[in-house]
Structure formats: C-alpha cells, structure tokens
Amino acid sequence: MDLQTLKQKMDEARYIYDETLITVLYVALRLDRPLLIEGAAGVGKTEIAKVMAAALGRELVRMQCYEGLDESKSLYEWNYQKQLLSIQVQMGSRDSDELTKSLFSDEYLLERPLLRSIRSKEPVVLLIDEIDKSDEEFEAFLLELLSDMQVSIPEIGTIPATTKPFVVLTSNRARPISDALRRRCAYLYIEYPDMDKELAILRARLPEVDARLAVQVVEAVQRLRASEAILKKPSIAETLDWAQALMALGVRELTPEIMRSTVGFVLKNSEDIETMAELLLSGEAQCDCGGACDHGEGNGDCAHHHHHHA
C-alpha cells in the first residue's frame, strides 16, 4: 500500500491525522515494525489500531494488558475440561503414555490473542493495549515474541508465525517502558488535539451537529482540559458523547445551565463535576463572549484564546 492509498483509507475512516502520524504509520507498515503509541488516556491511541485494521482489511486482535498478565492469559491455555472428558472416555481403551501425549496436542490448545495473531492464516492487526499496565516480565516475554516471531510451547515445541501481524502497542505511561522494547518499535506520541483539530474530529464524526454548538462544545472541553483543577481530563470520545447528548436534547446553545445538567457526559467523577460548577460560577468554563458572538464556522475571535484561562 502506498502513502496516498493509506491517506485515502484514513480519510474514508474519518480519522483526522497530521503528516507526522501518517508518515510514522506508513513507515512502520513498510518496514514491518511494531508501533508504540504513547499519550494520555483518551487521545485516540486505540483508535489508530482500529482504523489500521479497517484500512488494511484485516481482523483486529486485541489484547488488554493488566497487572499479573502472563503467558497463559496472553498466549495459550490448555482446555482442561476437554482434557478431563477425554481421560474419562478413553481411560480404559488407550495406553496411558499415548493418552497423555494426545491430551497435549493442538486439539486441546486454547489460543489466546498473541498465539492467535501469529497463527492466523490471514495477517491481522494485533493491538497490545496499555502495555504499561503489565509487569516487566511480561514485557520481556513480549519482546522475545516480537523479535523471533515464534513461540515455544513446552508440550508441543516451537510454533513459528504463519503470518506476521501489524503490531500496535499503546501506553498511558503509568510506568516506563524498557529501552529494549522502545528500540524495537516505531514511536508515536499523541497529544490532546488543539481547538481546530478537535473541531475537525467532531465535524468528521458527527456532521449533523450544529456548527455553532460544535464550536461551543469543543471550546468548553479545551477549557476543562487546560484547567489544572480537573483531575481526569475529558477524552475525545467524551467530547463526541457530549455533543451527541446535546443533540439528543435538541440543544442549540451551550448555556451554563445546560452544561450543569449534561456534565456527566464529559466529566466522569464527582470531584471534577464540583470543580466545573466552581469554574462556571467564576465564568471560566464558558466562552469569553458568553455565547453572544457568532462562532460561525470556527475561527471567530473567541475560538482561539481558550488556553490561558483555567
């Protein structure tokens, strides 16, 4: 796939990208390198893997990382129930050594995401989500898998990859990722979008949202993110949720009252909701013009001084 086609596919998926992002994606794809994407929660890291799967026409295999994740959860497990049933059925009729051997064959193997993605007949996109939540041992194991593209299963032996997945790893930087893994990957850091980019995302995803309301929503979200007092910054998904909720209510104007009554779509904890109420009282969460200016298609006077408030 050439760069132009990739851009076209991203446009079709309505994913708003910049030149850096599309270049890194393209090179990682061409060189068959895993891609490590870092950034705050909710900036759209996971979305890249989904869009790439759609663009390449591949299945997306997702592995969510967490503390204590190990090989049996990520690679394979034996189907114990099926093995026990087999033992009961065949106990008398088969030689015990032969029976034991047969119990550890492909038939009883449960593929977990990593094994599934390298044994797939058609190449997949493998998303290893929030690698920073797993422990160092798992990361080391993963590095070995990515380097050799094969896995060892004691009872069966080495299983080489049938196809090579396009691997996307994401990290919210809860802990540092090892240099060895970083060196292995192409790297992308994604920040929260600025006003113009977030507006473009909102318009691409929800073209039916009133243009003026779209500007007011994005502006309010940008303010909330810029506020030191807000603990959990709203994600892009929450911006979209909020806009959808306002549309469902038939809202055309984002007033302080409307903000108060719909805040649960954009902020997800009580402390932040209280903070927003205080910001509203002080007038900081709203547009400077109090909604009186004509936002039109976006670059009005008030659309650009949203950062220095909070």
Side-chain angles (χ1 to χ4, degrees), residues 207-220:
E208 62 281 15
V209 173
D210 177 74
R212 180 174 172 186
L213 181 64
V215 174
Q216 291 178 337
V217 166
V218 171
E219 201 155 56

Side-chain angles (χ1 to χ4, degrees), residues 98-116:
E98 193 189 325
L99 177 56
T100 308
K101 208 169 179 177
S102 75
L103 291 174
F104 292 99
S105 61
D106 224 17
E107 195 187 335
Y108 300 93
L109 194 64
L110 293 175
E111 292 182 342
R112 294 291 175 239
L114 293 181
L115 187 59
R116 197 173 130 217

